[in-house]
Amino acid sequence: MKEEEKKKIHDLLAHWTHAAVQVIDVRHFVLQAQESWNSYRLPASSYFYACKGQATVRLDGREYAADRFLLLHGGKGMVLDVKLTDDELFAFYLILYKAKTLLPRPADHALLNDGGKEPFQLPYALVPHEPTGLYHLAATMAREWDTQERLRAKGTFLQFVHEVMQQLIQHGFHQEQQPLAKQVVRFLEAHYTTRISLESLAEQFCYSARYLTRLVKEETGHSPIDYVISLRMEKAKELLARTDAKLQEVAAAVGYQDVLYFSRLFKKHTGMTPSAFSEHALAAPPVPDRLYGKPGLSIVDEKGESYSVNDNRYQRSFGGIVRMNKKSTRHMATLFMVSLALLVSACSGTASPTPQAEGSVQEQAGAAQRELTDGLGNKVTVPAHPQRIIASYLEDHLVALGVKPVAQWSVGKGDVQGYLQKDLAGIPAIPYDLPPEVVMSYNPDLIIMDNAELVAGDKYSQYAKISPTYTIGKEKNSDWRKELLIVGEVLNKSEEAKKVLADYDTYVAESKEKLKQGIGEKSAAALWVTAKAVYMARQDLSSGDVLYKDLGFKVPAVVQEISKSGDANWNSVSLEKLAQLDADYLFVVNSKGVSKDEFLKEPVWANIPAVKNGHVYDFTTESSWLYTGVIANRQMIENVLENVLKQ
């Protein structure tokens, strides 16, 4: 280790020794396959400690490979991104704190000369040579915090910091050399629509307003406030040129509530009033159209792999997950859709339409649209017969009702629900988190959301400006049957939905009787086997609902236990519990990367009755076993009958 680095570490240790410390929060997170954190801005100084799985982690633009154990430290305002690099879970602790050093600040201090960073703002990385001690302290701290033992948690935090300092002294650290000026400019670019003052900027970065002003002026040629104004004016010009937004809406969109003040500023910076600029833009030659926002924006954004699906279907969401707000991206495009279809329909036909009585006009208008109240209490006016529908992760219901969406749910790089592709082949994929720009590009006339998380914050208003948006909500989407009926109502296909359910119930009754005649009363379990873990379906959700409620298989004791302790559709099961599984039949989703016969050679499977008797049937992730709905469930039942009754 170089002498300069040793000095920095010992200086950091000295500041910790003489610091007043407050623990803000201690959290344990588990991300599942294809999930990610995008652009999470640290609200305080933080330790990030990875303890399981693999991921690519970016702290303020610098990338780290988190394999096994990785410790990162970042300061308030820095941006954290986490993206899984394999198909398994990734677990980590995030410890937020505030600290104030009681040491003087000499001008030649090693830390303060390193990019101007305060001691507790300093970003660094450490791969611990002795990771288990840190893990024990982090886990203990999280338990103490959750049980409100805050003083004890603070004591454990200081032990954690002491262990980190000792390992830094022994092994050194790798520092992120991000200039403070670039951090401040990035902050301004991300928050230009909010109220920013020099005082709030100084508080955010813990430096004087005069010092930050000098840094930003050297970086951009403008003072912080002038730079914010220039950002606002550029965005305002884009809105005026590319949308039909009203003047007050443009002003509000870029951070001004006073329209008159905005107009004066706009004219000062452009030499034209907003109205004149808009008219000039209309008269200018047209430019190639593109999605609003980032140039080159693709259907699947490289950071758009975090997702949340509803409670009653395939969730890459296993037991013990705590969620944080991972992304709060404000889209600036203001869209006002005019219902041209009704206007064209009304004006087409003869040049002089036959006059109609007022009552008949109202009846026609009523027939063209309906007002419904969605699961969140929103009044939604929907078309009587929508033609261009986006209902991400509700495609099973759509197909069952004979409807094809204009785009279908996907995760990662366009991975869709494989079992539906017989009906949805050729339908383009749309990212699971439905970026408003991408939704807009499909020009939908109806959007159906399955849960409130997808419309959190200001997202509902963004979608509602594109087209009528109906959110089903948890009360209904936790039961696929209720959800199907709701989708049928929204699509004006209630009778079709009832018939689909009736036909399904008939099919279930016939299949259940066939099984009873063929094998009698037997037990079964649905498992998902991956390279690093085994997951078990709850008895009342997903494929568990099909096996136990629909087909009448007995519920093994281990499944009952897992169902009581795990909230997700699929919950991890320990090898010890797996060895105790008393199931006559096993239905396995195999994504382990080896054949069924290969992984069944492992000793843990040896005493399971289904394994002993050769009653283990495996399926790929392209099958319907990880999902639910009429079509998914029918395919599962077909799989069961085909395999169990052939013997």
Side-chain angles (χ1 to χ4, degrees):
M1 190 189 308
K2 296 180 180 179
E3 286 301 317
E4 182 182 357
E5 185 171 286
K6 287 182 180 179
K7 178 172 175 53
K8 291 176 182 177
I9 294 172
H10 282 283
D11 285 346
L12 182 60
L13 178 60
H15 279 282
W16 271 111
T17 303
H18 298 85
V21 179
Q22 177 187 0
V23 180
I24 304 299
D25 203 356
V26 182
R27 302 184 184 183
H28 180 232
F29 295 93
V30 181
L31 302 183
Q32 304 302 328
Q34 306 298 334
E35 284 190 302
S36 63
W37 267 22
N38 295 320
S39 303
Y40 175 68
R41 189 171 295 277
L42 298 177
S45 297
S46 306
Y47 279 106
F48 170 100
Y49 189 47
C51 55
K52 186 175 179 61
Q54 298 178 337
T56 298
V57 181
R58 296 173 67 90
L59 180 61
D60 239 28
R62 186 180 182 89
E63 188 168 289
Y64 302 88
D67 187 0
R68 193 167 177 259
F69 292 96
L70 171 72
L71 178 80
L72 292 178
H73 181 273
K76 178 180 178 181
M78 294 182 182
V79 176
L80 180 68
D81 298 276
V82 183
K83 181 178 180 181
L84 271 67
T85 54
D86 63 11
D87 291 330
E88 302 303 322
L89 60 82
F90 179 72
F92 62 93
Y93 289 90
L94 190 65
I95 305 162
L96 309 177
Y97 73 93
K98 288 183 179 179
K100 182 177 182 180
T101 182
L102 304 179
L103 287 176
R105 298 177 49 166
D108 61 347
H109 197 284
L111 288 178
L112 298 181
N113 283 334
D114 187 14
K117 296 180 176 63
E118 290 284 345
F120 308 110
Q121 286 285 113
L122 184 70
Y124 54 83
L126 168 70
V127 178
H129 285 235
E130 300 157 18
T132 55
L134 280 174
Y135 172 78
H136 173 73
L137 289 170
T140 300
M141 197 189 323
R143 287 194 298 270
E144 292 167 345
W145 191 264
D146 287 342
T147 56
Q148 303 298 311
E149 296 179 275
R150 299 301 165 82
L151 182 59
R152 188 183 295 272
K154 181 178 179 180
T156 305
F157 172 71
L158 293 175
Q159 294 180 55
F160 181 89
V161 172
H162 179 266
E163 179 64 21
V164 171
M165 294 299 107
Q166 293 304 306
Q167 297 214 30
L168 284 176
I169 289 171
Q170 294 178 40
H171 307 294
F173 55 63
H174 180 69
Q175 289 185 217
E176 160 62 45
Q177 301 294 335
Q178 177 74 39
L180 178 62
K182 291 188 180 298
Q183 293 183 43
V184 178
V185 170
R186 183 182 292 112
F187 178 84
L188 295 175
E189 291 173 347
H191 297 83
Y192 71 90
T193 62
T194 62
R195 181 178 176 82
I196 295 177
S197 65
L198 290 176
E199 291 75 18
S200 65
L201 204 61
E203 181 180 356
Q204 173 74 21
F205 288 92
C206 302
Y207 287 92
S208 71
R210 177 180 296 180
Y211 180 64
L212 292 178
T213 298
R214 179 170 62 82
L215 286 181
V216 173
K217 195 162 187 177
E218 290 173 353
E219 182 72 15
T220 68
H222 301 280
S223 70
I225 301 305
D226 285 341
Y227 187 66
V228 168
I229 293 173
S230 69
L231 290 172
R232 290 176 171 179
M233 294 303 107
E234 288 302 311
K235 292 299 181 181
K237 288 194 292 184
E238 188 168 1
L239 289 174
L240 289 166
R242 296 180 57 81
T243 76
D244 290 330
K246 297 177 181 178
L247 182 58
Q248 58 266 36
E249 291 160 346
V250 173
V254 297
Y256 296 103
Q257 299 304 316
D258 187 330
V259 177
L260 185 59
Y261 178 68
F262 163 71
S263 298
R264 288 201 300 264
L265 273 179
F266 189 89
K267 185 175 182 180
K268 178 181 178 181
H269 280 262
T270 66
M272 304 173 69
T273 65
S275 299
F277 181 88
S278 181
E279 292 173 1
H280 177 76
L282 287 174
V287 296
D289 197 13
R290 66 175 174 84
L291 298 179
Y292 183 87
K294 303 174 184 175
L297 181 66
S298 61
I299 292 296
V300 181
D301 183 33
E302 66 176 0
K303 290 188 176 182
E305 296 188 9
S306 147
Y307 69 96
S308 173
V309 296
N310 68 18
D311 294 321
N312 70 297
R313 269 181 288 179
Y314 168 33
Q315 301 180 351
R316 293 184 185 264
S317 170
F318 309 118
I321 299 174
V322 182
R323 292 189 179 275
M324 174 184 274
N325 181 15
K326 302 183 285 280
K327 182 176 182 181
S328 180
T329 305
R330 184 179 298 271
H331 298 280
M332 293 306 304
T334 305
L335 176 67
F336 282 83
M337 303 294 290
V338 179
S339 183
L340 295 176
L342 291 177
L343 181 60
V344 171
S345 174
C347 295
S348 62
T350 60
S352 301
T354 303
Q356 294 180 332
E358 181 180 351
S360 63
V361 172
Q362 292 175 347
E363 288 172 3
Q364 286 192 0
Q369 57 188 25
R370 297 166 297 134
E371 185 176 83
L372 303 175
T373 302
D374 72 2
L376 302 183
N378 300 308
K379 298 290 186 182
V380 185
T381 301
V382 303
H385 301 288
Q387 301 298 313
R388 300 184 58 81
I389 301 164
I390 290 179
S392 183
Y393 214 73
L394 296 168
E395 287 85 359
D396 192 297
H397 300 325
L398 298 186
V399 173
L401 296 173
V403 175
K404 286 190 177 183
V406 294
Q408 62 174 316
W409 175 90
S410 71
V411 68
K413 298 187 182 299
D415 293 335
V416 295
Q417 300 165 91
Y419 78 101
L420 289 174
Q421 294 316 297
K422 178 181 177 181
D423 297 284
L424 298 183
I427 301 295
I430 190 170
Y432 66 91
D433 57 346
L434 298 175
E437 307 99 320
V438 182
V439 172
M440 187 192 312
S441 71
Y442 286 100
N443 192 27
D445 57 8
L446 177 64
I447 302 170
I448 308 177
M449 299 290 194
D450 66 341
N451 63 73
E453 190 172 322
L454 286 171
V455 294
D458 66 347
K459 282 189 173 182
Y460 182 85
S461 63
Q462 294 182 46
Y463 294 128
K465 290 175 182 177
I466 298 172
S467 68
T469 302
Y470 186 103
T471 306
I472 292 174
K474 187 171 183 177
E475 181 182 351
K476 295 293 191 301
N477 83 349
S478 58
D479 183 325
W480 72 265
R481 291 170 174 83
K482 292 179 180 179
E483 188 177 65
L484 172 62
L485 292 174
I486 290 294
V487 172
E489 180 185 4
V490 175
L491 298 180
N492 210 5
K493 289 179 174 287
S494 291
E495 293 306 314
E496 290 92 329
K498 292 176 184 177
K499 185 178 186 306
V500 167
L501 279 180
D503 291 344
Y504 176 76
D505 290 338
T506 300
Y507 177 68
V508 164
E510 294 172 351
S511 302
K512 185 175 183 179
E513 184 60 29
K514 288 179 182 178
L515 278 175
K516 184 176 180 180
Q517 295 295 328
I519 63 173
E521 293 188 359
K522 298 291 184 180
S523 60
L527 302 175
W528 185 4
V529 179
T530 70
K532 294 185 178 180
V534 177
Y535 302 93
M536 180 176 290
R538 271 182 53 147
Q539 68 183 76
D540 56 343
L541 295 174
S542 191
S543 47
D545 183 59
V546 174
L547 292 179
Y548 308 120
K549 180 179 178 180
D550 291 345
L551 296 181
F553 281 101
K554 292 192 296 185
V555 186
V558 173
V559 176
Q560 295 182 36
E561 183 178 342
I562 291 293
S563 299
K564 290 179 181 178
S565 60
D567 295 329
N569 290 11
W570 295 83
N571 297 277
S572 60
V573 56
S574 67
L575 297 183
E576 179 184 5
K577 288 295 180 184
L578 180 62
Q580 299 171 12
L581 181 58
D582 184 19
D584 297 310
Y585 293 90
L586 289 182
F587 303 95
V588 179
V589 179
N590 181 7
S591 57
K592 189 176 178 67
V594 299
S595 68
K596 174 189 71 176
D597 293 337
E598 190 67 25
F599 72 72
L600 289 180
K601 292 178 182 178
E602 298 171 8
V604 68
W605 300 90
N607 293 320
I608 300 176
V611 177
K612 290 181 178 180
N613 298 320
H615 294 163
V616 181
Y617 314 104
D618 67 328
F619 310 92
T620 70
T621 54
E622 294 295 304
S623 69
S624 68
W625 282 83
L626 297 176
Y627 303 86
T628 197
V630 165
I631 297 174
N633 293 1
R634 274 184 172 269
Q635 291 186 20
M636 279 185 263
I637 294 173
E638 290 170 3
N639 293 155
V640 171
L641 297 179
E642 178 183 323
N643 287 282
V644 171
L645 297 183
K646 73 179 181 181
Q647 299 183 355

